[in-house]
Amino acid sequence: MEKYIDTIRQAFDSIRSQKLRAFFTLLSIVIGVFAIMFAGSLVTSIDNTVKNQIEELGQSTFFIYRIPNIMMGGHDWRKYAQRSEINLRVFENFKKKMDPSVIITGMAKSMGMTIKHNDKNTDPDVTLAGTDDNYFLTSNYDVQEGRALTSSDIEYKRNVAIIGNDVIVKIFPGENPIGKEIKINNKPFTVIGTLKPKGAILGQSQDNVVMIPLSQFLTYYASDWYSDITIIVRAPDKIALPYLVDEAVGAMRTVRNLKPWQENDFEIETNESLADQFSSLTNFLSYFGFFSGLIALIAAGVGITNIMLITVKERTREIGIRKAVGAKKRWILTHFISETIVLTMIGGLIGVLLGIVAGGLLGLVAGTSFSLSTKWIIISLSISLVLGLISGVMPAYRAASLDPV
């Protein structure tokens, strides 16, 4: 054991004696490992945050869309574009065909709206959502003050609204918005409730939102902002989910007058399937970061080999003296390989630390929870170890084969 510790100590002494050369070698290793670790830690944080958000909705909820919610390529855009919209008639007929005890809600969204109150207005980036009285039973939004939408709000088409915290900060600074009037595209709405703050996810605020009755959304804004209704269904429990999905498929096919041989012209996605689709996206990002870092490390390995070959030539006298006093070939081989491994492992550790810090900071800005992935740490350090071993073999063998004379 003492012999190995002494070998490592000598490797550190050799690195200290050639600081500039060691610095540039370390830099190339750090860049490669940093790319791998940064991508891995950031993707892990994003993946865990999205999964936590989806879990908050519950594992017994599923969604019905006109087109897939997440598309990765290889999809037939023309086929989706030709599908008929999921409008209010489809939504209402679907509800009638489903079990009345099942919670069903509809939602339509428009982006980039401006909300006004007296002489104050928001930036034109507010999300306007049209919903019904069941929405808060199927979403992870909660009312903080005031009340939620009711069936009578929908039935009597009342101009009422529930606003998020970002909107409150912009147009109601220091005052209670309940009972006050806001304008959306010059249409007046009375604020009946406020939402509990949720913060941002992936850099997108979840509080920059206004919710109004679905009936009013379709009356005032659907013509200007084309948007299908997303149907959200919550099963009594996870066990009943697959049976309810089958029932929903049959109901939607009937409502949309599809023949038995025709494929579905709608998409049904559960929280689990959405999480799987998002994981495929984050996996692509992690692979991209991994292979980018790997290319940098391969280039670093070539550089390390060349530097170690130069080092062997410069230390020919030292190697000759060692052999002359009895150093065996395997000792010389072990010393130079150990020196290379120590160099790459130092660079690997620095790259891992920088990758974790950078991934954490970017995740903080993007609003994701920080997650430290031991898998990516092990992968990064293992690559550094293998890189040192491979890069050091040729120079070490050349050093060990030198003639003592």
Side-chain angles (χ1 to χ4, degrees):
M1 184 67 180
E2 188 176 342
K3 180 178 70 174
Y4 292 114
I5 293 173
D6 186 56
T7 301
I8 293 172
R9 189 183 298 115
Q10 289 178 26
F12 273 109
D13 290 338
S14 299
I15 292 169
R16 277 196 295 269
S17 65
Q18 303 173 61
K19 293 185 179 64
L20 185 62
R21 185 178 296 164
F23 170 77
F24 285 111
T25 306
L26 283 173
L27 186 62
S28 58
I29 300 166
V30 167
I31 291 171
V33 173
F34 169 80
I36 294 173
M37 195 62 211
F38 173 71
S41 59
L42 182 61
V43 163
T44 301
S45 296
I46 293 173
D47 207 25
N48 289 341
T49 300
V50 171
K51 284 180 178 178
N52 290 337
Q53 291 285 324
I54 290 175
E55 284 175 3
E56 286 182 18
L57 295 173
Q59 295 183 327
S60 59
T61 303
F62 64 92
F63 306 83
I64 303 176
Y65 306 99
R66 184 174 69 95
I67 62 176
N69 194 46
I70 300 175
M71 288 185 283
M72 292 290 294
H75 293 270
D76 190 346
W77 283 94
R78 289 184 180 179
K79 180 182 73 174
Y80 295 137
Q82 290 170 358
R83 288 179 174 179
S84 59
E85 64 180 342
I86 298 179
N87 53 29
L88 189 59
R89 180 192 61 79
V90 172
F91 172 56
E92 294 294 345
N93 287 340
F94 173 78
K95 285 177 66 176
K96 290 176 183 176
K97 292 187 178 297
M98 297 292 290
D99 189 329
S101 64
V102 177
I103 298 173
I104 302 174
T105 187
M107 178 188 64
K109 282 185 177 181
S110 284
M111 313 294 286
M113 304 296 286
T114 300
I115 313 300
K116 296 181 179 180
H117 170 64
N118 295 336
D119 59 340
K120 298 183 181 68
N121 57 269
T122 66
D123 295 328
D125 61 352
V126 177
T127 298
L128 179 66
T131 64
D132 63 10
D133 51 308
N134 284 334
Y135 179 72
F136 288 96
L137 300 175
T138 60
S139 72
N140 54 359
Y141 278 100
D142 293 304
V143 175
Q144 181 167 287
E145 290 185 45
R147 67 174 178 85
L149 297 172
T150 63
S151 57
S152 60
D153 292 329
I154 313 299
E155 183 180 354
Y156 296 112
K157 298 185 177 182
R158 292 173 181 153
N159 282 19
V160 292
I162 303 170
I163 62 177
N165 190 61
D166 288 3
V167 178
I168 296 172
V169 170
K170 282 287 180 68
I171 61 176
F172 292 106
E175 58 179 310
N176 189 344
I178 304 296
K180 305 287 177 62
E181 184 182 275
I182 61 173
K183 286 190 175 181
I184 310 171
N185 277 8
N186 294 321
K187 297 292 189 298
F189 286 82
T190 301
V191 178
I192 59 170
T194 61
L195 297 170
K196 284 185 180 178
K198 290 172 59 65
I201 179 171
L202 304 182
Q204 181 68 40
S205 174
Q206 300 178 85
D207 302 317
N208 199 27
V209 62
V210 172
M211 296 181 182
I212 64 174
L214 182 60
S215 54
Q216 299 307 84
F217 179 93
L218 296 174
T219 299
Y220 295 139
Y221 308 108
S223 58
D224 296 329
W225 300 87
Y226 177 83
S227 183
D228 283 297
I229 294 176
T230 297
I231 301 174
I232 308 170
V233 184
R234 170 162 284 184
D237 51 54
K238 190 177 179 181
I239 297 173
L241 181 64
Y243 303 102
L244 194 58
V245 168
D246 289 341
E247 184 183 345
V249 170
M252 279 296 289
R253 288 185 63 86
T254 301
V255 170
R256 292 168 81 79
N257 298 316
L258 294 177
K259 302 297 187 293
W261 59 86
Q262 291 179 306
E263 64 176 12
N264 294 340
D265 61 351
F266 55 89
E267 303 292 326
I268 290 188
E269 296 176 349
T270 64
N271 285 329
E272 188 175 348
S273 67
L274 286 173
D276 291 341
Q277 289 180 49
F278 195 84
S279 291
S280 66
L281 174 62
T282 53
N283 286 340
F284 170 78
L285 296 175
S286 62
Y287 292 146
F288 178 77
F290 175 80
F291 285 111
S292 297
L294 193 61
I295 291 170
L297 285 172
I298 291 172
V302 175
I304 292 169
T305 302
N306 289 330
I307 287 172
M308 292 306 295
L309 287 171
I310 295 170
T311 301
V312 168
K313 186 171 288 188
E314 290 178 346
R315 293 162 64 182
T316 302
R317 184 187 296 272
E318 174 194 330
I319 296 165
I321 293 172
R322 288 191 180 200
K323 282 198 165 188
V325 297
K328 294 182 179 179
K329 185 174 182 178
R330 69 172 182 272
W331 294 355
I332 303 293
L333 195 69
T334 302
H335 173 78
F336 277 91
I337 290 179
S338 298
E339 188 174 317
T340 312
I341 289 175
V342 167
L343 192 64
T344 55
M345 289 302 289
I346 291 172
L349 286 169
I350 295 172
V352 164
L353 291 173
L354 290 177
I356 291 172
V357 171
L361 289 175
L362 189 57
L364 189 65
V365 172
T368 62
S369 58
F370 176 70
S371 300
L372 184 61
S373 174
T374 53
K375 178 186 78 172
W376 286 102
I377 294 175
I378 293 171
I379 289 174
S380 299
L381 294 181
S382 299
I383 291 175
S384 299
L385 179 63
V386 172
L387 179 68
L389 188 62
I390 295 174
S391 302
V393 166
M394 186 191 297
Y397 183 78
R398 182 169 293 185
S401 303
L402 288 175
D403 191 328
V405 177

